[in-house]
Amino acid sequence: MNVSRIAVAGGIAASAVLLLAGPASAHVSVQPQGEAAKGGYATINFKVPNERDDASTVKLEVNFPTDHPLSSVSPQAVPGWKIDVTKSTLAKPLEVHGQKVTEAVSKVTWTADAAAAIKPGYFQQFPLSVGQLPEDADQLVFKALQTYSSKEVVRWIEEAPAGGEEPDNPAPVLTLTDAAADAHGSAGATDTDDDGDDAAAGDKGADASEQTTTASASSDSASDGTARVLGVVGIVIGIAGVAFGVLARRRTA
């Protein structure tokens, strides 16, 4: 009886932990496809889960960081969602590829058609191509607003303190990785290695082809020898049969 009570109590405790942990992990987030390297360009996805049982997500607003403005932002079409890109004049112009940039994207808004809204229990991803990523930052913070069909607005705008716990409504954070020291040099080395591998593979392929040809020739030769032996055996059996028939006739006579 005591064991049963302990098991039931353990199950209830585990369920409570899951219920408490669920909402904390289900929030608007941003992740790169591959890596988001400093000083480069990347494709990023804003993942938006629907956290309500009685309403659908109908709108997402993502505000871009003003301390590290991005000169290039291109959204990917999302079926059933209207996309509005808002640009603002920069207080300090940027220099990108030798050209002065005086404005940058400050906000992107996605608004759903009735049929495309994110239903309870589902999520949607919103892809963007962005750049040029800053070279002097380890992360970018995007503050987002999620609007439900019930008119409720959830503000994902809280920044976690360094080394502190995650807030209740954390802002999406894009982690930036260090750029490769010599990407072109590495690529060249890789190409050289690939060529060497290709050559070795070609030699191996040639050897394998020769071995296959030799084995095929040996097999054909063996087949020919077997056919000849069988032919001789057949002739011998035929002669023996004729001789047996002749002897049988003589005995009968």
Side-chain angles (χ1 to χ4, degrees):
M1 181 64 68
N2 291 335
V3 174
S4 299
R5 289 180 178 176
I6 293 174
V8 171
I12 294 174
S15 299
V17 170
L18 290 175
L19 289 173
L20 292 174
S25 61
H27 53 74
V28 176
S29 61
V30 60
Q31 292 293 333
Q33 291 183 7
E35 292 185 350
K38 298 177 181 178
Y41 291 77
T43 297
I44 61 177
N45 282 317
F46 285 91
K47 182 179 179 181
V48 182
N50 192 89
E51 296 184 297
R52 301 294 180 264
D53 296 330
D54 56 352
S56 300
T57 297
V58 296
K59 187 177 181 180
L60 172 69
E61 299 172 70
V62 174
N63 293 279
F64 282 66
T66 56
D67 54 343
H68 296 290
L70 301 177
S71 60
S72 175
V73 176
S74 300
Q76 179 177 320
V78 179
W81 290 77
K82 177 186 175 183
I83 305 174
D84 292 317
V85 179
T86 303
K87 293 184 178 182
S88 300
T89 302
L90 298 174
K92 181 180 179 181
L94 298 175
E95 186 172 339
V96 181
H97 302 305
Q99 296 184 351
K100 183 179 293 186
V101 177
T102 59
E103 64 177 13
V105 172
S106 56
K107 183 171 69 173
V108 177
T109 304
W110 290 266
T111 305
D113 295 339
I118 308 172
K119 304 296 188 295
Y122 288 82
F123 75 92
Q124 177 68 52
Q125 295 193 80
F126 300 89
L128 292 172
S129 174
V130 300
Q132 183 174 0
L133 298 174
E135 298 179 351
D136 57 349
D138 295 325
Q139 64 180 28
L140 292 177
V141 179
F142 299 86
K143 296 183 178 182
L145 276 66
Q146 180 180 10
T147 303
Y148 286 92
S149 56
S150 60
K151 307 302 181 181
E152 177 190 6
V153 177
V154 181
R155 302 170 63 84
W156 304 99
I157 61 174
E158 299 177 11
E159 298 185 39
E165 295 183 357
E166 184 179 74
D168 293 334
N169 294 322
V173 176
L174 177 66
T175 301
L176 305 181
T177 59
D178 292 332
D182 188 7
H184 294 292
S186 300
T190 303
D191 291 342
T192 302
D193 293 341
D194 289 344
D195 292 341
D197 292 341
D198 291 342
D203 293 340
K204 292 179 180 179
D207 292 342
S209 179
E210 291 177 1
Q211 292 174 2
T212 302
T213 302
T214 303
S216 178
S218 299
S219 176
D220 292 342
S221 178
S223 298
D224 292 341
T226 302
R228 291 175 183 176
V229 171
L230 292 176
V232 172
V233 171
I235 293 172
V236 172
I237 292 174
I239 294 174
V242 173
F244 180 79
V246 172
L247 292 175
R249 288 180 182 179
R250 287 182 180 180
R251 289 178 182 177
T252 301

